[in-house]
Amino acid sequence: MPILIPTPSALAEAAKRLRAGELVAFPTETVYGLGGDATSDRAVAAIFEAKRRPSFNPLIATVADIEAAERLVEMDARARRLAELFWPGPLTLVLPRRKDSGLSLLVTAGLDSVAVRVPEHPVTLDLLRAARIPIAGPSANPSGTVSPTTAAHVEAGLGDRVSMILDGGPCRVGVESTVLALLTPVPIILRPGGVSREQIEAELGPVSLVLEAGKEGPRSPGMTGHHYAPSLPVRIEADRPRPGEAWLAFGTSPVAADLNLSPSGNLTEAAANLFAMLRALDRPPFTGIAVMPIPRDGLGLAINDRLKRAAAPRAA
Ligand code: TXA
Ligand code: MG
């Protein structure tokens, strides 16, 4: 499918195709999204089909601003505060769905809540303003695989499934948005991501973190154990590579690195490099990928979450 530089005419064409129910891949600051009209059952069904995503796993409704979000969900004072601070930005809020939202029920997989986000990327915002509809926008990769941070990654995974790919260059953040549920008195981070737990707690006080299946409380249906996986086995918190393994370092490496997420030990740089480097090492002659330990503060929580899923045991 054509990879297009997002000129005004390419954006107008993309908006037209979205309004006609076609799928368009678009850049965001986190990862590339697979966009479809969130008010159209047909378009949303096509997203699930293209990604081979289980239909019980709801999608994010991507919108241009707080006003557009308020047409879809009930925003309480906490939601408004976070939205004013972090939107546009890598934060997704899960809030009660408005009865008159107009969203396809497939977007929310039958839940009473909707995940909404305003991405911090001029191309996404221009596209949303041109299309004038909420865009259902999961990551633009086949379900279970490593998320795309370049247009070429999208083409490799879903190229024959989309009507066009808008190329916004490499994604600045590199890991997905933080998914925060504001449905209970204590907010719950359903997926750590580009806005850190510390940043959220500075505004709302303590929040809880749901990472493990089996814990009490609402969960993100998408957070299955095994996810974000390259084809080669991934081994995390390794102190050195075993024979045949690629060595993905962070900071000062004890042995020569095949790639280094951030030679200076910077978590922002490591997040931006994570998915592209996992992809780059996912090939012969390597037989596995060993990754050095990464600190868990700030963006480190999201990085460790994705690595843990990449390393989780796989179904046969
Ligand atoms: O950074 C991002 O969020 C990217 C870019 C493209 O915007 N999108 C993305 O979408 O990562 P997706 O569909 O791959 O991940 C959305 C996550 C899933 O884990 C899903 O289960 C969860 O959000 N989610 C969506 N709606 C939800 C809801 N109503 N309640 C709980 N979790 C929800
Ligand atoms: Mg995804």
Side-chain angles (χ1 to χ4, degrees):
M1 272 308 128
I3 297 185
L4 294 179
I5 303 296
T7 57
S9 67
L11 280 165
E13 178 62 25
K16 195 173 114 196
R17 292 190 188 190
L18 282 168
R19 291 184 67 85
E22 294 180 28
L23 304 188
V24 170
F26 60 95
T28 79
E29 82 282 30
T30 58
V31 302
Y32 276 71
L34 176 63
D37 179 354
T39 67
S40 155
D41 287 339
R42 186 168 63 88
V44 176
I47 291 178
F48 281 100
E49 155 70 19
K51 281 182 65 79
R52 308 221 170 281
R53 173 160 168 143
S55 59
F56 57 77
N57 187 4
L59 307 178
I60 294 173
T62 315
V63 293
D65 49 37
I66 298 184
E67 291 66 41
E70 286 196 284
R71 290 196 280 275
L72 308 179
V73 291
E74 311 281 358
M75 293 185 75
D76 61 11
R78 299 176 299 181
R80 243 176 245 120
R81 173 129 169 241
L82 292 182
E84 269 155 25
L85 269 168
F86 295 111
W87 283 354
L91 177 67
T92 294
L93 299 177
V94 176
L95 292 162
R97 173 161 47 87
R98 276 178 60 146
K99 286 196 180 59
D100 59 353
S101 71
L103 290 173
S104 162
L105 292 181
L106 298 174
V107 170
T108 55
L111 298 173
D112 296 331
S113 58
V114 185
V116 286
R117 117 168 177 91
V118 179
E120 188 183 13
H121 197 295
V123 173
T124 329
L125 295 174
D126 285 348
L127 181 64
L128 286 162
R129 287 186 196 114
R132 301 188 315 279
I133 42 173
I135 296 178
S139 51
N141 55 311
S143 196
T145 68
V146 178
S147 293
T149 54
T150 67
H153 295 163
V154 179
E155 166 88 61
L158 291 177
D160 54 350
R161 299 297 193 136
V162 293
S163 143
M164 65 194 262
I165 301 171
L166 291 170
D167 188 352
C171 299
R172 175 176 63 78
V173 176
V175 291
E176 294 87 344
S177 60
T178 303
V179 179
L180 181 73
L182 292 174
L183 303 170
T184 47
V186 177
I188 301 176
I189 295 180
L190 298 176
R191 175 178 74 182
V195 170
S196 69
R197 176 184 196 160
E198 294 87 335
Q199 284 173 291
I200 295 168
E201 291 193 326
E203 296 311 314
L204 298 188
V207 301
S208 59
L209 184 61
V210 175
L211 285 179
E212 309 295 338
K215 284 207 185 134
E216 297 299 315
R219 287 203 299 276
S220 201
M223 298 308 276
T224 50
H226 174 65
H227 208 66
Y228 303 103
S231 5
L232 291 178
V234 175
R235 194 164 63 84
I236 54 177
E237 292 172 12
D239 56 5
R240 66 188 43 121
R242 294 176 185 156
E245 280 180 335
W247 182 235
L248 182 55
F250 173 82
T252 308
S253 176
V255 297
D258 291 297
L259 287 173
N260 196 323
L261 289 166
S262 170
S264 66
N266 178 302
L267 289 168
T268 304
E269 182 183 25
N273 285 329
L274 180 66
F275 291 147
M277 289 189 173
L278 283 175
R279 282 169 186 264
L281 298 176
D282 190 20
R283 57 186 51 139
F286 301 121
T287 55
I289 304 172
V291 192
M292 270 178 76
I294 318 276
R296 312 191 85 82
D297 56 307
L299 273 176
L301 191 64
I303 298 172
N304 276 289
D305 170 69
R306 303 307 186 272
L307 285 171
K308 200 171 128 209
R309 287 169 206 287
R314 308 185 179 188

